[in-house]
Coordinates of all heavy atoms in Angstrom, one line a residue:
M1 N -21.0 -20.3 -1.6 CA -20.6 -20.3 -3.0 C -21.0 -18.9 -3.6 O -22.1 -18.5 -3.5 CB -21.3 -21.4 -3.8 CG -20.9 -21.5 -5.2 SD -21.7 -23.0 -5.9 CE -20.5 -23.3 -7.1
T2 N -20.0 -18.2 -4.2 CA -20.3 -16.9 -4.8 C -20.7 -17.1 -6.3 O -20.1 -18.0 -7.0 CB -19.1 -16.0 -4.7 OG1 -18.0 -16.6 -5.4 CG2 -18.7 -15.8 -3.2
S3 N -21.6 -16.3 -6.7 CA -21.9 -16.3 -8.1 C -21.0 -15.4 -8.9 O -20.7 -14.3 -8.5 CB -23.4 -16.0 -8.3 OG -23.6 -14.7 -7.9
K4 N -20.6 -15.8 -10.1 CA -19.8 -15.0 -10.9 C -20.6 -14.2 -11.9 O -21.6 -14.7 -12.4 CB -18.8 -15.9 -11.7 CG -17.8 -16.6 -10.8 CD -16.8 -17.4 -11.6 CE -15.8 -18.1 -10.8 NZ -14.8 -18.8 -11.5
K5 N -20.2 -13.0 -12.2 CA -20.9 -12.2 -13.2 C -20.5 -12.8 -14.6 O -19.4 -13.1 -14.8 CB -20.4 -10.8 -13.1 CG -20.9 -10.0 -12.0 CD -20.4 -8.5 -12.1 CE -21.1 -7.6 -11.1 NZ -20.7 -6.2 -11.3
P6 N -21.5 -12.8 -15.4 CA -21.2 -13.3 -16.8 C -20.3 -12.3 -17.5 O -20.4 -11.1 -17.2 CB -22.6 -13.4 -17.5 CG -23.5 -12.5 -16.6 CD -22.9 -12.5 -15.3
L7 N -19.5 -12.7 -18.4 CA -18.7 -11.8 -19.2 C -19.5 -11.0 -20.2 O -20.5 -11.5 -20.7 CB -17.6 -12.6 -20.0 CG -16.6 -13.4 -19.2 CD1 -15.7 -14.2 -20.1 CD2 -15.8 -12.4 -18.3
K8 N -19.1 -9.8 -20.4 CA -19.9 -8.9 -21.3 C -18.9 -8.4 -22.3 O -17.9 -7.8 -22.0 CB -20.5 -7.8 -20.5 CG -21.3 -6.8 -21.4 CD -21.8 -5.7 -20.5 CE -22.4 -4.6 -21.4 NZ -22.7 -3.4 -20.7
A9 N -19.3 -8.5 -23.6 CA -18.5 -7.9 -24.7 C -18.8 -6.4 -24.8 O -20.0 -6.1 -24.7 CB -18.7 -8.6 -26.0
I10 N -17.8 -5.6 -24.9 CA -18.0 -4.2 -25.0 C -17.5 -3.7 -26.3 O -16.3 -4.0 -26.7 CB -17.3 -3.4 -23.9 CG1 -17.9 -3.9 -22.5 CG2 -17.5 -1.9 -24.0 CD1 -17.1 -3.3 -21.3
G11 N -18.3 -3.0 -27.1 CA -17.8 -2.4 -28.4 C -16.9 -1.3 -28.2 O -16.9 -0.6 -27.2
I12 N -16.1 -1.0 -29.2 CA -15.1 0.0 -29.2 C -15.7 1.4 -29.0 O -15.2 2.3 -28.3 CB -14.2 0.0 -30.4 CG1 -13.0 1.0 -30.3 CG2 -15.0 0.4 -31.7 CD1 -12.0 0.5 -29.3
N13 N -16.9 1.6 -29.6 CA -17.6 2.9 -29.4 C -17.9 3.2 -28.0 O -17.8 4.3 -27.5 CB -18.8 3.0 -30.3 CG -18.5 3.1 -31.8 OD1 -17.4 3.6 -32.1 ND2 -19.3 2.6 -32.6
E14 N -18.4 2.1 -27.2 CA -18.7 2.3 -25.8 C -17.4 2.6 -25.0 O -17.4 3.4 -24.1 CB -19.3 1.0 -25.3 CG -19.9 1.1 -23.9 CD -20.6 -0.1 -23.4 OE1 -21.1 -0.9 -24.3 OE2 -20.7 -0.3 -22.2
I15 N -16.3 2.0 -25.3 CA -15.1 2.2 -24.6 C -14.6 3.6 -24.9 O -14.2 4.3 -23.9 CB -14.0 1.2 -25.1 CG1 -14.3 -0.2 -24.6 CG2 -12.6 1.6 -24.6 CD1 -13.5 -1.3 -25.2
L16 N -14.7 4.1 -26.1 CA -14.2 5.5 -26.4 C -15.1 6.5 -25.8 O -14.6 7.6 -25.5 CB -14.2 5.7 -27.9 CG -13.1 4.8 -28.6 CD1 -13.2 5.0 -30.2 CD2 -11.7 5.2 -28.2
K17 N -16.4 6.3 -25.5 CA -17.3 7.2 -24.9 C -17.1 7.3 -23.4 O -17.5 8.3 -22.8 CB -18.7 6.9 -25.3 CG -19.1 7.3 -26.7 CD -20.6 7.1 -26.9 CE -20.9 5.8 -27.5 NZ -22.4 5.6 -27.7
H18 N -16.6 6.2 -22.8 CA -16.5 6.2 -21.3 C -15.6 7.2 -20.8 O -14.5 7.4 -21.4 CB -16.1 4.8 -20.9 CG -16.1 4.6 -19.4 ND1 -17.3 4.4 -18.7 CD2 -15.1 4.6 -18.5 CE1 -17.0 4.3 -17.4 NE2 -15.7 4.4 -17.3
E19 N -15.9 7.9 -19.8 CA -15.0 8.9 -19.1 C -14.5 8.3 -17.8 O -15.2 7.9 -16.9 CB -15.8 10.2 -18.8 CG -16.1 10.9 -20.0 CD -16.7 12.3 -19.7 OE1 -16.3 12.9 -18.7 OE2 -17.6 12.7 -20.5
F20 N -13.2 8.1 -17.8 CA -12.5 7.5 -16.6 C -12.1 8.7 -15.7 O -11.8 9.8 -16.1 CB -11.2 6.8 -17.0 CG -11.6 5.5 -17.8 CD1 -11.6 5.6 -19.2 CD2 -11.9 4.3 -17.2 CE1 -11.9 4.4 -19.9 CE2 -12.2 3.2 -17.9 CZ -12.2 3.3 -19.3
R21 N -12.2 8.4 -14.4 CA -11.9 9.5 -13.4 C -10.4 9.8 -13.3 O -10.1 10.9 -13.1 CB -12.5 9.1 -12.0 CG -14.0 9.0 -12.0 CD -14.5 8.6 -10.7 NE -15.9 8.5 -10.8 CZ -16.7 8.4 -9.7 NH1 -16.2 8.4 -8.5 NH2 -18.0 8.3 -9.9
E22 N -9.6 8.7 -13.4 CA -8.2 8.9 -13.3 C -7.5 8.2 -14.5 O -8.0 7.2 -15.0 CB -7.6 8.2 -12.0 CG -8.2 8.7 -10.7 CD -7.6 7.9 -9.6 OE1 -6.7 7.1 -9.8 OE2 -8.2 8.0 -8.5
E23 N -6.4 8.8 -14.8 CA -5.6 8.1 -15.8 C -4.8 6.9 -15.1 O -4.3 7.1 -14.0 CB -4.5 9.0 -16.4 CG -5.1 10.0 -17.4 CD -4.1 10.7 -18.2 OE1 -3.1 10.1 -18.5 OE2 -4.3 11.9 -18.4
P24 N -4.7 5.8 -15.7 CA -4.0 4.7 -15.1 C -2.5 5.0 -15.1 O -2.0 5.8 -15.9 CB -4.3 3.5 -16.0 CG -4.7 4.1 -17.3 CD -5.3 5.4 -17.0
D25 N -1.8 4.4 -14.2 CA -0.3 4.5 -14.2 C 0.2 3.8 -15.4 O -0.3 2.8 -15.9 CB 0.3 3.8 -13.0 CG -0.1 4.5 -11.7 OD1 -0.3 5.7 -11.7 OD2 -0.1 3.8 -10.6
V26 N 1.1 4.5 -16.1 CA 1.7 3.9 -17.3 C 3.2 3.9 -17.3 O 3.8 4.7 -16.6 CB 1.2 4.6 -18.6 CG1 -0.3 4.4 -18.8 CG2 1.5 6.1 -18.5
L27 N 3.8 3.0 -18.0 CA 5.2 3.0 -18.2 C 5.6 4.3 -18.7 O 6.5 5.0 -18.3 CB 5.6 1.8 -19.1 CG 7.1 1.7 -19.3 CD1 7.8 1.4 -18.0 CD2 7.3 0.5 -20.3
Q28 N 5.0 4.7 -19.8 CA 5.1 6.1 -20.3 C 3.7 6.5 -20.8 O 3.0 5.6 -21.4 CB 6.1 6.2 -21.4 CG 6.2 7.6 -21.9 CD 7.5 7.9 -22.6 OE1 8.5 7.2 -22.4 NE2 7.5 8.8 -23.5
R29 N 3.3 7.6 -20.7 CA 2.0 8.1 -21.0 C 1.4 7.4 -22.3 O 1.9 7.6 -23.4 CB 1.9 9.6 -21.1 CG 0.6 10.2 -21.3 CD 0.6 11.7 -21.2 NE -0.6 12.3 -21.6 CZ -1.7 12.3 -20.8 NH1 -1.7 11.8 -19.6 NH2 -2.8 12.9 -21.2
G30 N 0.4 6.6 -22.1 CA -0.3 6.1 -23.3 C 0.4 4.9 -23.9 O -0.1 4.4 -24.9
V31 N 1.5 4.4 -23.3 CA 2.2 3.3 -24.0 C 1.9 1.9 -23.4 O 1.4 1.0 -24.1 CB 3.7 3.5 -24.0 CG1 4.5 2.4 -24.6 CG2 4.1 4.8 -24.7
L32 N 2.1 1.8 -22.1 CA 1.9 0.4 -21.5 C 1.3 0.6 -20.1 O 2.1 0.9 -19.2 CB 3.2 -0.3 -21.4 CG 3.2 -1.8 -20.9 CD1 2.2 -2.6 -21.7 CD2 4.5 -2.4 -20.9
P33 N 0.0 0.5 -20.0 CA -0.6 0.7 -18.7 C -0.1 -0.3 -17.6 O 0.1 -1.5 -18.0 CB -2.1 0.5 -18.9 CG -2.3 0.7 -20.4 CD -1.0 0.3 -21.0
A34 N 0.2 0.2 -16.4 CA 0.6 -0.7 -15.4 C -0.4 -1.8 -15.2 O -1.6 -1.6 -15.1 CB 0.8 0.1 -14.1
G35 N 0.1 -3.1 -15.1 CA -0.8 -4.2 -14.9 C -1.5 -4.7 -16.1 O -2.3 -5.6 -16.1
A36 N -1.2 -4.1 -17.3 CA -1.8 -4.5 -18.5 C -1.0 -5.5 -19.2 O 0.1 -5.8 -18.8 CB -2.0 -3.3 -19.4
G37 N -1.6 -6.1 -20.2 CA -0.9 -7.1 -21.0 C -0.6 -6.6 -22.4 O -1.0 -5.5 -22.8
M38 N 0.3 -7.3 -23.1 CA 0.7 -6.9 -24.4 C 0.8 -8.2 -25.2 O 1.3 -9.2 -24.8 CB 2.0 -6.2 -24.4 CG 2.6 -5.9 -25.8 SD 4.2 -5.2 -25.8 CE 3.8 -3.5 -25.2
I39 N 0.2 -8.1 -26.4 CA 0.4 -9.3 -27.3 C 1.3 -8.9 -28.5 O 1.1 -7.8 -29.1 CB -1.0 -9.7 -27.9 CG1 -1.9 -10.1 -26.8 CG2 -0.9 -10.7 -29.0 CD1 -3.4 -10.4 -27.2
I40 N 2.3 -9.7 -28.7 CA 3.2 -9.5 -29.8 C 3.0 -10.6 -30.8 O 3.1 -11.7 -30.5 CB 4.7 -9.5 -29.3 CG1 4.9 -8.4 -28.3 CG2 5.6 -9.3 -30.5 CD1 6.3 -8.5 -27.6
A41 N 2.5 -10.2 -32.0 CA 2.1 -11.2 -33.0 C 2.8 -10.9 -34.3 O 3.1 -9.8 -34.6 CB 0.6 -11.2 -33.1
G42 N 2.9 -11.9 -35.1 CA 3.5 -11.8 -36.4 C 3.9 -13.1 -37.0 O 3.7 -14.1 -36.4
D43 N 4.4 -13.1 -38.2 CA 4.8 -14.3 -38.9 C 6.0 -14.9 -38.2 O 6.7 -14.3 -37.5 CB 5.2 -14.0 -40.4 CG 4.0 -13.6 -41.2 OD1 2.9 -14.0 -40.9 OD2 4.2 -12.9 -42.2
S44 N 6.2 -16.2 -38.4 CA 7.3 -16.9 -37.8 C 8.6 -16.4 -38.4 O 8.7 -16.1 -39.6 CB 7.1 -18.4 -38.2 OG 8.2 -19.1 -37.6
G45 N 9.6 -16.2 -37.5 CA 10.9 -15.9 -37.9 C 11.2 -14.4 -38.1 O 12.2 -14.0 -38.6
V46 N 10.2 -13.5 -37.7 CA 10.4 -12.1 -37.8 C 11.0 -11.4 -36.6 O 11.3 -10.2 -36.7 CB 9.1 -11.4 -38.3 CG1 8.6 -11.9 -39.6 CG2 8.1 -11.5 -37.2
G47 N 11.3 -12.1 -35.5 CA 11.9 -11.6 -34.4 C 11.0 -11.3 -33.2 O 11.4 -10.5 -32.3
K48 N 9.8 -11.8 -33.1 CA 8.9 -11.6 -32.0 C 9.5 -12.0 -30.7 O 9.5 -11.3 -29.7 CB 7.6 -12.3 -32.2 CG 6.8 -12.0 -33.4 CD 5.5 -12.8 -33.5 CE 5.8 -14.3 -33.5 NZ 6.4 -14.9 -34.7
S49 N 10.1 -13.2 -30.7 CA 10.7 -13.7 -29.4 C 11.9 -12.9 -28.9 O 12.0 -12.6 -27.7 CB 11.2 -15.2 -29.6 OG 10.1 -16.0 -29.9
L50 N 12.7 -12.4 -29.8 CA 13.8 -11.6 -29.4 C 13.3 -10.3 -28.9 O 13.9 -9.7 -27.9 CB 14.8 -11.4 -30.6 CG 15.6 -12.7 -31.0 CD1 16.4 -12.4 -32.2 CD2 16.4 -13.2 -29.8
L51 N 12.4 -9.7 -29.6 CA 11.8 -8.4 -29.1 C 11.2 -8.6 -27.7 O 11.5 -7.8 -26.8 CB 10.7 -8.0 -30.1 CG 9.9 -6.8 -29.6 CD1 10.7 -5.5 -29.5 CD2 8.7 -6.6 -30.6
R52 N 10.4 -9.7 -27.5 CA 9.8 -9.9 -26.2 C 10.8 -10.1 -25.1 O 10.7 -9.6 -24.0 CB 8.9 -11.2 -26.3 CG 8.3 -11.5 -25.0 CD 7.5 -12.8 -25.1 NE 8.1 -13.9 -25.8 CZ 9.1 -14.7 -25.4 NH1 9.6 -14.5 -24.2 NH2 9.5 -15.7 -26.2
V53 N 11.9 -10.9 -25.4 CA 12.9 -11.2 -24.4 C 13.6 -9.9 -24.0 O 13.8 -9.6 -22.8 CB 13.9 -12.3 -24.9 CG1 15.1 -12.4 -23.9 CG2 13.2 -13.6 -25.0
E54 N 14.0 -9.1 -25.0 CA 14.7 -7.9 -24.7 C 13.8 -6.9 -23.9 O 14.2 -6.3 -22.9 CB 15.2 -7.2 -25.9 CG 16.0 -5.9 -25.6 CD 16.9 -5.4 -26.6 OE1 17.2 -6.0 -27.6 OE2 17.5 -4.3 -26.4
M55 N 12.5 -6.8 -24.3 CA 11.6 -5.9 -23.5 C 11.5 -6.4 -22.1 O 11.5 -5.7 -21.1 CB 10.3 -5.9 -24.2 CG 10.2 -5.1 -25.5 SD 8.6 -5.1 -26.3 CE 7.6 -4.2 -25.1
T56 N 11.4 -7.8 -21.9 CA 11.2 -8.4 -20.6 C 12.4 -8.1 -19.7 O 12.3 -7.7 -18.6 CB 11.0 -9.9 -20.7 OG1 9.8 -10.1 -21.5 CG2 10.9 -10.5 -19.4
V57 N 13.6 -8.3 -20.3 CA 14.8 -8.0 -19.5 C 14.9 -6.6 -19.1 O 15.2 -6.3 -17.9 CB 16.1 -8.5 -20.3 CG1 17.4 -8.0 -19.6 CG2 16.1 -10.0 -20.4
R58 N 14.7 -5.7 -20.0 CA 14.8 -4.3 -19.7 C 13.7 -3.9 -18.7 O 14.1 -3.1 -17.7 CB 14.6 -3.5 -21.0 CG 15.7 -3.5 -22.0 CD 15.4 -2.8 -23.3 NE 16.6 -2.7 -24.1 CZ 17.5 -1.7 -24.0 NH1 17.4 -0.8 -23.1 NH2 18.6 -1.7 -24.7
L59 N 12.5 -4.3 -18.8 CA 11.5 -4.0 -17.8 C 11.8 -4.5 -16.4 O 11.6 -3.9 -15.4 CB 10.1 -4.5 -18.3 CG 9.4 -3.7 -19.4 CD1 8.3 -4.5 -19.9 CD2 9.0 -2.3 -18.9
A60 N 12.3 -5.8 -16.4 CA 12.5 -6.5 -15.2 C 13.7 -5.8 -14.3 O 13.7 -6.0 -13.1 CB 12.8 -8.0 -15.4
I61 N 14.6 -5.2 -15.0 CA 15.7 -4.5 -14.3 C 15.6 -3.0 -14.2 O 16.5 -2.4 -13.7 CB 17.1 -5.0 -14.7 CG1 17.3 -4.6 -16.2 CG2 17.2 -6.5 -14.5 CD1 18.7 -5.0 -16.7
G62 N 14.6 -2.5 -14.9 CA 14.4 -1.0 -14.9 C 15.2 -0.2 -15.9 O 15.5 0.9 -15.7
L63 N 15.5 -0.8 -17.0 CA 16.2 -0.1 -18.1 C 15.2 0.5 -19.0 O 14.1 -0.1 -19.2 CB 17.1 -1.1 -18.9 CG 18.4 -1.6 -18.3 CD1 19.1 -2.6 -19.2 CD2 19.3 -0.5 -17.9
D64 N 15.5 1.6 -19.7 CA 14.6 2.1 -20.7 C 14.3 1.1 -21.7 O 15.1 0.2 -22.1 CB 15.3 3.3 -21.4 CG 15.4 4.5 -20.5 OD1 14.9 4.5 -19.4 OD2 15.9 5.6 -21.0
V65 N 13.1 1.1 -22.3 CA 12.6 0.2 -23.3 C 12.5 1.0 -24.6 O 11.6 1.7 -24.8 CB 11.3 -0.5 -22.9 CG1 10.8 -1.4 -24.0 CG2 11.4 -1.2 -21.6
F66 N 13.5 0.9 -25.4 CA 13.5 1.5 -26.7 C 13.2 3.0 -26.7 O 12.3 3.5 -27.4 CB 12.6 0.8 -27.7 CG 12.8 -0.7 -27.7 CD1 11.9 -1.6 -27.3 CD2 14.1 -1.2 -28.1 CE1 12.1 -2.9 -27.3 CE2 14.3 -2.6 -28.1 CZ 13.3 -3.4 -27.7
G67 N 13.9 3.7 -25.7 CA 13.7 5.1 -25.6 C 12.6 5.5 -24.6 O 12.4 6.7 -24.4
I68 N 11.8 4.5 -24.1 CA 10.7 4.8 -23.2 C 11.3 4.6 -21.8 O 11.8 3.5 -21.5 CB 9.5 3.9 -23.4 CG1 9.0 4.1 -24.8 CG2 8.4 4.2 -22.4 CD1 8.0 3.1 -25.3
N69 N 11.2 5.6 -20.9 CA 11.8 5.5 -19.6 C 11.0 4.5 -18.7 O 9.8 4.5 -18.7 CB 11.7 6.9 -18.9 CG 12.3 6.9 -17.5 OD1 11.5 6.8 -16.6 ND2 13.6 6.9 -17.4
T70 N 11.8 3.7 -18.1 CA 11.3 2.7 -17.1 C 11.7 3.2 -15.7 O 12.9 3.0 -15.4 CB 11.8 1.3 -17.4 OG1 11.5 0.9 -18.7 CG2 11.2 0.3 -16.5
P71 N 10.9 3.8 -15.0 CA 11.3 4.4 -13.7 C 11.8 3.4 -12.7 O 12.7 3.8 -11.9 CB 10.1 5.2 -13.2 CG 8.9 4.6 -14.0 CD 9.5 4.0 -15.2
T72 N 11.3 2.3 -12.6 CA 11.7 1.2 -11.6 C 11.6 -0.1 -12.3 O 10.9 -0.3 -13.3 CB 10.8 1.2 -10.4 OG1 9.5 1.0 -10.7 CG2 10.9 2.6 -9.6
A73 N 12.2 -1.1 -11.7 CA 12.1 -2.5 -12.2 C 10.6 -2.9 -12.1 O 9.9 -2.5 -11.2 CB 13.0 -3.4 -11.3
Q74 N 10.2 -3.7 -13.1 CA 8.8 -4.1 -13.2 C 8.7 -5.6 -13.1 O 9.6 -6.3 -13.4 CB 8.2 -3.7 -14.5 CG 8.3 -2.2 -14.8 CD 7.5 -1.4 -13.9 OE1 6.3 -1.6 -13.7 NE2 8.1 -0.3 -13.3
T75 N 7.6 -6.1 -12.6 CA 7.3 -7.5 -12.6 C 6.8 -7.9 -13.9 O 5.8 -7.2 -14.4 CB 6.3 -7.9 -11.5 OG1 6.8 -7.5 -10.2 CG2 6.0 -9.4 -11.5
V76 N 7.3 -8.9 -14.6 CA 6.9 -9.3 -15.9 C 6.5 -10.7 -15.9 O 7.2 -11.6 -15.4 CB 8.1 -9.0 -16.9 CG1 7.6 -9.4 -18.3 CG2 8.6 -7.6 -16.9
L77 N 5.4 -11.0 -16.5 CA 4.9 -12.4 -16.7 C 4.9 -12.7 -18.2 O 4.4 -11.9 -19.0 CB 3.5 -12.6 -16.1 CG 2.8 -13.9 -16.5 CD1 3.5 -15.0 -15.7 CD2 1.3 -13.8 -16.1
I78 N 5.6 -13.8 -18.5 CA 5.6 -14.2 -19.9 C 4.8 -15.4 -20.1 O 4.9 -16.4 -19.4 CB 7.1 -14.5 -20.4 CG1 8.0 -13.3 -20.2 CG2 7.1 -15.0 -21.8 CD1 9.5 -13.7 -20.4
F79 N 3.9 -15.4 -21.1 CA 3.2 -16.6 -21.5 C 3.4 -16.7 -23.0 O 3.1 -15.9 -23.8 CB 1.7 -16.4 -21.3 CG 0.9 -17.6 -21.7 CD1 0.8 -18.7 -20.9 CD2 0.2 -17.6 -22.9 CE1 0.0 -19.8 -21.3 CE2 -0.5 -18.7 -23.3 CZ -0.6 -19.8 -22.5
Q80 N 4.2 -17.8 -23.3 CA 4.5 -18.1 -24.7 C 4.5 -19.6 -25.0 O 4.7 -20.3 -24.1 CB 5.8 -17.4 -25.1 CG 7.0 -18.0 -24.5 CD 7.6 -19.2 -25.3 OE1 7.4 -19.3 -26.5 NE2 8.3 -20.1 -24.6
T81 N 4.1 -20.0 -26.2 CA 4.0 -21.4 -26.5 C 4.9 -21.8 -27.7 O 4.9 -22.9 -28.1 CB 2.6 -21.8 -26.8 OG1 2.1 -21.0 -27.9 CG2 1.7 -21.6 -25.6
E82 N 5.6 -20.8 -28.2 CA 6.4 -21.1 -29.4 C 7.7 -21.7 -29.2 O 8.2 -22.5 -30.0 CB 6.6 -19.7 -30.2 CG 7.2 -19.9 -31.5 CD 7.2 -18.6 -32.3 OE1 7.2 -17.5 -31.7 OE2 7.3 -18.6 -33.5
N83 N 8.4 -21.3 -28.1 CA 9.8 -21.8 -27.9 C 9.9 -22.7 -26.7 O 9.1 -22.7 -25.8 CB 10.7 -20.6 -27.7 CG 10.6 -19.6 -28.8 OD1 10.8 -20.0 -30.0 ND2 10.4 -18.3 -28.5
T84 N 11.0 -23.5 -26.7 CA 11.3 -24.4 -25.6 C 11.9 -23.6 -24.5 O 12.4 -22.5 -24.7 CB 12.2 -25.5 -26.0 OG1 13.5 -25.0 -26.3 CG2 11.7 -26.3 -27.2
G85 N 11.9 -24.2 -23.3 CA 12.6 -23.5 -22.2 C 14.1 -23.3 -22.4 O 14.6 -22.3 -22.1
K86 N 14.7 -24.2 -23.1 CA 16.1 -24.1 -23.5 C 16.4 -23.0 -24.4 O 17.3 -22.2 -24.3 CB 16.6 -25.4 -24.1 CG 18.1 -25.5 -24.3 CD 18.6 -26.8 -24.7 CE 20.1 -26.9 -24.8 NZ 20.6 -28.2 -25.1
Q87 N 15.5 -22.8 -25.4 CA 15.6 -21.7 -26.3 C 15.4 -20.3 -25.6 O 16.2 -19.4 -25.8 CB 14.6 -21.7 -27.4 CG 14.8 -22.8 -28.4 CD 13.7 -23.0 -29.4 OE1 12.5 -23.1 -29.0 NE2 14.0 -23.1 -30.7
E88 N 14.4 -20.3 -24.7 CA 14.2 -19.1 -23.9 C 15.4 -18.7 -23.1 O 15.8 -17.6 -23.0 CB 13.0 -19.2 -23.0 CG 11.7 -19.2 -23.7 CD 11.4 -17.9 -24.4 OE1 11.2 -16.9 -23.7 OE2 11.3 -17.9 -25.6
Q89 N 16.0 -19.7 -22.4 CA 17.2 -19.5 -21.6 C 18.3 -19.0 -22.4 O 19.0 -18.0 -22.0 CB 17.6 -20.8 -20.9 CG 18.7 -20.7 -19.9 CD 19.1 -22.0 -19.3 OE1 19.4 -23.0 -20.1 NE2 19.1 -22.1 -18.0
F90 N 18.6 -19.6 -23.6 CA 19.7 -19.2 -24.4 C 19.5 -17.7 -24.9 O 20.4 -16.9 -24.8 CB 19.8 -20.1 -25.7 CG 20.8 -19.7 -26.7 CD1 22.1 -19.9 -26.5 CD2 20.4 -19.0 -27.8 CE1 23.1 -19.5 -27.4 CE2 21.3 -18.6 -28.8 CZ 22.7 -18.8 -28.5
R91 N 18.3 -17.4 -25.3 CA 18.0 -16.1 -25.8 C 18.1 -15.0 -24.7 O 18.7 -13.9 -24.9 CB 16.6 -16.0 -26.5 CG 16.6 -16.7 -27.8 CD 15.2 -16.8 -28.3 NE 15.3 -17.4 -29.7 CZ 14.2 -17.8 -30.4 NH1 13.0 -17.6 -29.9 NH2 14.4 -18.3 -31.6
T92 N 17.6 -15.4 -23.5 CA 17.7 -14.4 -22.4 C 19.1 -14.2 -22.0 O 19.5 -13.0 -21.8 CB 16.9 -15.0 -21.2 OG1 15.5 -15.2 -21.6 CG2 17.0 -14.0 -20.0
K93 N 19.9 -15.2 -22.0 CA 21.4 -15.1 -21.6 C 22.1 -14.2 -22.7 O 22.9 -13.3 -22.3 CB 22.0 -16.4 -21.5 CG 21.7 -17.1 -20.2 CD 22.4 -18.5 -20.2 CE 22.1 -19.2 -18.9 NZ 22.8 -20.5 -18.8
R94 N 21.8 -14.4 -23.9 CA 22.4 -13.6 -25.0 C 22.0 -12.2 -25.0 O 22.8 -11.3 -25.2 CB 22.1 -14.2 -26.4 CG 22.7 -15.6 -26.7 CD 24.3 -15.5 -26.6 NE 24.9 -14.6 -27.5 CZ 25.4 -14.9 -28.7 NH1 25.4 -16.2 -29.1 NH2 25.9 -14.0 -29.5
I95 N 20.7 -11.9 -24.7 CA 20.3 -10.5 -24.6 C 20.9 -9.8 -23.4 O 21.4 -8.7 -23.5 CB 18.7 -10.5 -24.4 CG1 18.0 -10.9 -25.7 CG2 18.2 -9.1 -24.0 CD1 18.1 -10.0 -26.9
M96 N 21.0 -10.5 -22.3 CA 21.6 -10.0 -21.1 C 23.1 -9.7 -21.4 O 23.6 -8.7 -21.0 CB 21.5 -10.9 -19.9 CG 20.0 -11.0 -19.4 SD 19.7 -12.2 -18.1 CE 20.6 -11.4 -16.7
Q97 N 23.8 -10.6 -22.0 CA 25.2 -10.4 -22.4 C 25.3 -9.2 -23.3 O 26.2 -8.4 -23.1 CB 25.7 -11.7 -23.1 CG 27.1 -11.7 -23.5 CD 27.5 -13.0 -24.2 OE1 26.7 -13.5 -25.0 NE2 28.7 -13.4 -23.9
G98 N 24.4 -9.1 -24.3 CA 24.5 -7.9 -25.2 C 24.2 -6.6 -24.5 O 24.8 -5.6 -24.9
L99 N 23.5 -6.6 -23.4 CA 23.2 -5.4 -22.6 C 24.2 -5.2 -21.6 O 24.2 -4.2 -20.8 CB 21.8 -5.5 -22.0 CG 20.6 -5.5 -23.0 CD1 19.3 -5.8 -22.2 CD2 20.5 -4.1 -23.7
G100 N 25.2 -6.1 -21.5 CA 26.2 -5.9 -20.4 C 25.8 -6.2 -19.0 O 26.3 -5.7 -18.1
I101 N 24.8 -7.1 -18.9 CA 24.3 -7.5 -17.6 C 24.9 -8.7 -17.1 O 24.9 -9.7 -17.8 CB 22.7 -7.6 -17.7 CG1 22.1 -6.3 -18.2 CG2 22.1 -8.1 -16.3 CD1 20.6 -6.5 -18.6
E102 N 25.5 -8.7 -15.9 CA 26.1 -9.8 -15.3 C 25.0 -10.9 -14.8 O 24.0 -10.5 -14.4 CB 26.9 -9.5 -14.1 CG 28.1 -8.6 -14.4 CD 29.2 -9.3 -15.1 OE1 29.5 -10.5 -14.9 OE2 29.8 -8.6 -16.0
Q103 N 25.3 -12.1 -15.0 CA 24.4 -13.2 -14.5 C 24.7 -13.7 -13.2 O 25.8 -13.8 -12.8 CB 24.4 -14.3 -15.6 CG 23.9 -13.8 -16.9 CD 23.9 -15.0 -17.9 OE1 23.8 -16.1 -17.6 NE2 24.1 -14.6 -19.2

């Protein structure tokens, strides 16, 4: 049985002082680090789900994301609890249709 390290909270000052040896791979410099997560939050009905779906489709097939170059198709994991599977399917199909992507 392996022992797990306890989680440690790190303050922003410590993060800003740390010197990293290499810059992480990013979708575009300083925008979305490869392997990182993104949280999209806001009031209900302001378009978070549509934004997320469009970003996901674009990343998954290698299209630019709002002017940011996506050099290759990316693997995207979505974790959301607001919409049903049917709503997600409908929105994804409509976004793909709007982008001219065949299903």
Side-chain angles (χ1 to χ4, degrees):
M1 181 177 211
T2 60
S3 62
K4 294 183 180 180
K5 286 185 171 183
L7 294 176
K8 176 184 174 189
I10 300 173
I12 191 69
N13 289 331
E14 188 176 340
I15 292 170
L16 292 174
K17 284 190 262 182
H18 185 79
E19 290 186 33
F20 293 94
R21 293 181 184 192
E22 301 176 12
E23 286 190 37
D25 292 332
V26 291
L27 180 61
Q28 180 159 335
R29 188 170 169 78
V31 177
L32 185 58
M38 176 185 285
I39 297 173
I40 301 172
D43 291 333
S44 183
V46 296
K48 299 178 304 289
S49 296
L50 293 175
L51 172 66
R52 176 185 42 77
V53 170
E54 183 161 350
M55 288 177 68
T56 299
V57 168
R58 289 174 170 276
L59 286 167
I61 62 174
L63 289 178
D64 288 359
V65 178
F66 310 118
I68 300 168
N69 181 262
T70 305
T72 60
Q74 305 293 310
T75 300
V76 181
L77 171 68
I78 300 171
F79 179 80
Q80 67 87 27
T81 59
E82 187 175 22
N83 304 309
T84 66
K86 188 172 184 174
Q87 288 171 314
E88 288 295 297
Q89 183 182 55
F90 175 78
R91 289 175 174 169
T92 301
K93 285 181 178 182
R94 290 301 299 261
I95 292 287
M96 290 174 70
Q97 184 181 35
L99 292 171
I101 301 166
E102 297 288 325
Q103 297 179 29

